[in-house]
Amino acid sequence: MLEWIARGLRTGIVTTRYPRTAEPAPEGFRGRVEVLRTDNAAAALEQLCPTAAISVDPAARVSLDRGRCILCGLCVAAAPERFAFASDYETAARRRGSLVAGEPPPGEIAELRATLGDRSRTLERSIHIRHVDAGSDGGEEWEIQALVNPVYDVQRLGFFFTLSPRHADILLVSGGVTEPMREPLRRAWETMPEPKAVVAAGTDACSGGIAAATGATAGGVDQVLPVDVYVPGSPPSPIALLHGLLLATGLLSREAAA
């Protein structure tokens, strides 16, 4: 016991201050892919992506769907003048279309950052989360589990995981939703009391990911349930997941006040 006390005194507080203060990502962290240049794009750029996240329109403008991106880096390596990694944790969005890079800024970015500041205080009531693995590869589960460790300590913000959807405010779904999981996922959502929100955690949950073209999954959670917040990434970091959960609490607050 004394050894653990001494170690704690030497180490100090390791818990992140996010979202009260920004959490800097380490150098080289693959948070998301940015489109540096959109014009005069060759159609061959589409072939760089294994998940069809890159598209080139008839006007030769390139865009990248972060909801499909698995952060493999093939596009960055092949065309560094057009694509680059950004070390950014706050990648969640309330609208699926907001995950498309290369389009005009959706206008909600400033709103999201403003409302996020309002949620930096301890929540007025506890928010319970029901996590459902609807067919993920396990990567998202490691990051979700990390939310309860001493570094991220999601409970300090009033978030608690529950095994019962009857007690849940947020349904946190990972995976592209396999056929056997369609009905259990739908039943879990229907069992939850109002107000409630659905958070799609990871690229597979956002779009089906690399398995979308195989027909093995539904192609994303929004093909089965109405999704309120999308958190892209393969897998998303714990801070990205926390960002998405904080956005979802804003939705719950507005619905409760309505």
Side-chain angles (χ1 to χ4, degrees):
M1 177 64 71
L2 292 176
E3 179 184 349
W4 284 104
I5 293 174
R7 180 179 298 183
L9 291 174
R10 289 195 304 269
T11 305
I13 297 174
V14 298
T15 305
T16 177
R17 302 290 184 178
Y18 183 86
R20 189 177 299 277
T21 59
E23 179 73 19
E27 184 178 353
F29 175 73
R30 297 184 177 188
R32 57 186 171 85
V33 173
E34 284 187 335
V35 179
L36 304 177
R37 180 184 172 190
T38 62
D39 61 330
N40 298 322
L45 287 175
E46 295 182 342
Q47 306 305 314
L48 297 176
C49 185
T51 59
I54 298 173
S55 60
V56 180
D57 65 18
R61 287 178 54 86
V62 64
S63 61
L64 183 141
D65 186 348
R66 295 189 184 113
R68 293 179 177 271
C69 178
I70 58 173
L71 302 173
C72 65
L74 292 177
C75 60
V76 176
E81 75 283 359
R82 288 191 180 274
F83 305 102
F85 283 116
S87 300
D88 188 6
Y89 284 131
E90 294 184 347
T91 56
R94 291 186 184 139
R95 292 192 292 267
R96 180 67 177 83
S98 299
L99 297 180
V100 179
E103 297 293 330
E108 73 171 359
I109 301 301
E111 174 194 350
L112 296 187
R113 291 190 180 279
T115 57
L116 185 59
D118 294 337
R119 310 308 303 165
S120 64
R121 300 184 301 274
T122 301
L123 298 174
E124 294 179 359
R125 65 188 182 93
S126 60
I127 301 295
H128 283 73
I129 305 164
R130 174 67 170 107
H131 168 232
V132 174
D133 176 355
S136 79
D137 59 7
E140 287 79 12
E141 278 60 45
W142 283 101
E143 306 303 311
I144 291 170
Q145 289 179 31
L147 288 173
V148 298
N149 71 26
V151 175
Y152 302 104
D153 189 17
V154 71
Q155 295 183 11
R156 67 192 162 87
L157 295 172
F159 289 107
F160 302 90
F161 284 91
T162 179
L163 296 178
S164 173
R166 296 183 184 277
H167 303 154
D169 305 290
I170 297 175
L171 185 62
L172 180 65
V173 187
S174 55
V177 189
T178 59
E179 188 61 34
M181 284 302 299
R182 277 179 176 262
E183 186 58 22
L185 182 62
R186 186 186 62 80
R187 288 203 304 267
W189 179 74
E190 291 179 346
T191 302
M192 292 170 61
E194 297 285 352
K196 56 188 175 183
V198 177
V199 176
T203 296
D204 289 351
C206 290
S207 66
I210 202 165
T214 67
T217 66
V221 180
D222 58 9
Q223 301 301 306
V224 181
L225 298 178
V227 172
D228 298 285
V229 177
Y230 296 86
V231 188
S234 188
S237 69
I239 292 292
L241 290 167
L242 185 52
H243 177 224
L245 292 172
L246 287 165
L247 294 183
T249 63
L251 292 167
L252 290 170
S253 297
R254 285 205 300 270
E255 291 180 15

